[in-house]
Amino acid sequence: MTPADHPFLTPSDLPYELPPFREIREEHYGPAFEQGMAEHLAEVEAIAADPAPPTFANTVEALELSGRLLDRVSTVFFNQASSDTTPGIQAIQQEVTPKLAKHSDAIHLNPRLYARLKAVTTEDPAEQWLLDRYRTDFIRAGAELDEAQQARLRKLNEELSSLATTFQQTLLQDTNDRAVVVDDAAELDGLTPDAIEGLRETAAARGLAGKYLITLVLPTGQPSLSSLTDRGLRERVHRASTGRGAANAELITRIARLRRERAGLLGYRDHAEYVLADQTAGTTGAVTEMLDKLVTPAVANARREQEALEAEAGFPIEAWDWAFYAERVRQARYAIDSAQMRPYFELDRVLHDGVFHAASRLYGLRFEARPDLAGYHPDVRVWEVFNEDGSPLGLFLGDFHARASKRGGAWMNSLVKQSGLEGSRPVVVNNLNIVKGEPTLMTFDEVNTMFHEFGHALHGLFSDVRHPRFSGTAVPRDFVEYPSQVNEMWATHPEILANYAKHHETGEPMPRELVDRMLEAQKFNQGFATVEYLAATLLDWAWHTDYESGEESGDAESFEAEALRRAGVDLAAVPPRYRSTYFAHIWASGYSAGYYSYIWSEVLDADTVEWFTENGGLLRENGDRFRAELLSKGGSVDPMTAFRAFRGRDPRIEPLLERRGLR
């Protein structure tokens, strides 16, 4: 390969080193991965074999600068594998993921390299922090195991990486296959005309002309269930959702056993203890204590809510009834329904007059569309982001629409990391799964998700660190959701909401009384929302603390049922937000023994929202402080130290309990 015929071999010459998506083809990935891994190993070997005494510069910073080609191809490839996969991409992914696990082990289990890291000394606190992180990484990767243990660890890592890929690909296929086909529009009573038209267009795009297709989102609860009057169709949609991933049942029990074995090999009781040792929570006991504080009041709230819904329905409700009757009770109490609000949430207006406007008011940012720069799919749009003084900050890519080639959920990726050492500025992308329409109208949950994911984007864009190891969102898993959850507060801030909540046809603002009722309804159904989240969290916890390595633990379905029963959250009408077989967060997306992170981060988030409220809210000085003390730091400081510097004390759980109606 030569740079002339291969887009990965040299850094991109596009603005901010944006990957040259117009030039990248599937056949480029395989050779780039092979050469990238070979170059990286050669660079690492040169560091390990360096005859000069180990220093921070020739060992730690040399490692920071190694593997650039591999980083370039990995970043682009795995973004595409999630956002716009193909059979060819999936085949490459199956082949390359175990190779990458083997490659990582070859570095972390290199005894000469680890010896150099142990020998480095520095008087600089920032350098010492990075050195400590490297040493911790190597120890947690098995650097201090004996030869036989390392050999077993290599096999475990290779198999686990392969199983995670299989899980992800199986789930995507099953989610597409289980989309619910509706023959007659009359069955869709309750949906708005534009929503029905969207289902017709989706069916036509999949070769089902004349029919209607209800595609599935990643969580258990499906948006259409709040509106469909046909109870039989609601049940079909719910069962399609909860039946996903049946082929993954045996696979996840295998993953759980292997993770437990790996944790034991590394000196931990179970996988959760291994994970928590490197998170802000610190111990499994700390997480268990927090969950215990939430379960009892949340379940009590959900039971009271269920009684109110059954009074409305006139019969014992099932899981597929909850959203429908919750919407009816919501309408009765607050004279509001989701369909009434959607015309006021048109995607482009929410983005520009809501998300971007809030960032401009709080941080002084300016966004300039760059149609001359191409994304990896025609739906992807690119904006250049500037600071208030006109200095360039980075690029933001938005990929907002659902498609069959995209995995479910919403997420942020860094395509280029900010680094003072490399002189690079950030390029970040947000992915959502909003059904495209003419116009594209959103639910308020989708609006909130857009603000949430942009909070992650800001974390990446505002990164101001020297070393790429600490760039942007490179923080503990149970801290990474904190900035994104804080950004959700601006979705309902009066000034911001008034700026974007306008009727897509008339431009009229959402009526004040509708706004007031919408805000008043925010705490409605919080028992359900908290319990469905806690049920998923407790499933994750059970798989990674209680699941034994032998076959005696039983199959996935029975283990899940027993775990929920034992935890006291097995309300039949409130299923987990994710059941085990389609819980991509914990089997394929890095949240294993970490799904608690959302509620753990929400403690920090609710406390921070209280700070903003106490200090005047949407003010530039508040944004500047949050940016300087937290968003710019990445992983370059201890995250809880950064929080205390910002808040002036340790976090309090009371604001969270108040928010969720648990006091």
Side-chain angles (χ1 to χ4, degrees), residues 434-603:
I434 301 168
V435 176
K436 187 186 293 188
E438 293 294 339
T440 297
L441 303 181
M442 304 165 66
T443 66
F444 185 71
D445 282 347
E446 290 171 333
V447 171
N448 203 59
T449 297
M450 182 176 279
F451 275 86
H452 175 100
E453 293 305 328
F454 196 71
H456 285 306
L458 289 172
H459 203 178
L461 287 167
F462 285 152
S463 178
D464 187 15
V465 300
R466 175 169 172 78
H467 298 106
R469 168 69 172 76
F470 293 145
S471 182
T473 57
V475 296
R477 180 65 71 183
D478 59 6
F479 194 80
V480 75
E481 296 299 334
Y482 160 50
S484 57
Q485 289 173 327
V486 169
N487 204 59
E488 293 176 23
M489 73 178 291
W490 308 117
T492 55
H493 186 278
E495 177 186 331
I496 303 303
L497 183 64
N499 203 57
Y500 73 81
K502 298 178 180 179
H503 198 282
H504 71 97
E505 292 178 334
T506 67
E508 290 296 313
M510 181 182 284
R512 182 70 247 176
E513 63 272 20
L514 180 56
V515 171
D516 291 342
R517 294 197 304 269
M518 183 184 78
L519 296 178
E520 187 182 356
Q522 289 298 297
K523 284 188 179 179
F524 176 74
N525 211 36
Q526 275 298 306
F528 174 91
T530 306
V531 169
E532 71 158 0
Y533 166 78
L534 288 175
T537 300
L538 290 162
L539 281 180
D540 173 31
W541 208 238
W543 279 110
H544 295 111
T545 57
D546 297 337
Y547 197 78
E548 298 296 337
S549 58
E551 295 295 337
E552 68 274 13
S553 293
D555 60 47
E557 186 173 356
S558 61
F559 178 80
E560 176 179 290
E562 174 60 19
L564 292 175
R565 185 200 65 76
R566 192 168 59 247
V569 295
D570 56 336
L571 298 174
V574 188
R577 183 168 172 80
Y578 304 99
R579 291 193 62 195
S580 300
T581 54
Y582 51 89
F583 204 167
H585 284 75
I586 69 170
W587 305 120
S589 298
Y591 277 83
S592 59
Y595 197 63
Y596 78 90
S597 300
Y598 289 93
I599 201 83
W600 185 270
S601 293
E602 194 177 347
V603 172

Side-chain angles (χ1 to χ4, degrees), residues 12-19 370 372-373 384 395 416 427:
S12 169
D13 59 5
L14 292 174
Y16 304 90
E17 296 185 23
L18 176 73
R370 292 294 304 268
D372 56 311
L373 298 178
E384 188 170 6
L395 292 180
V416 179
V427 177

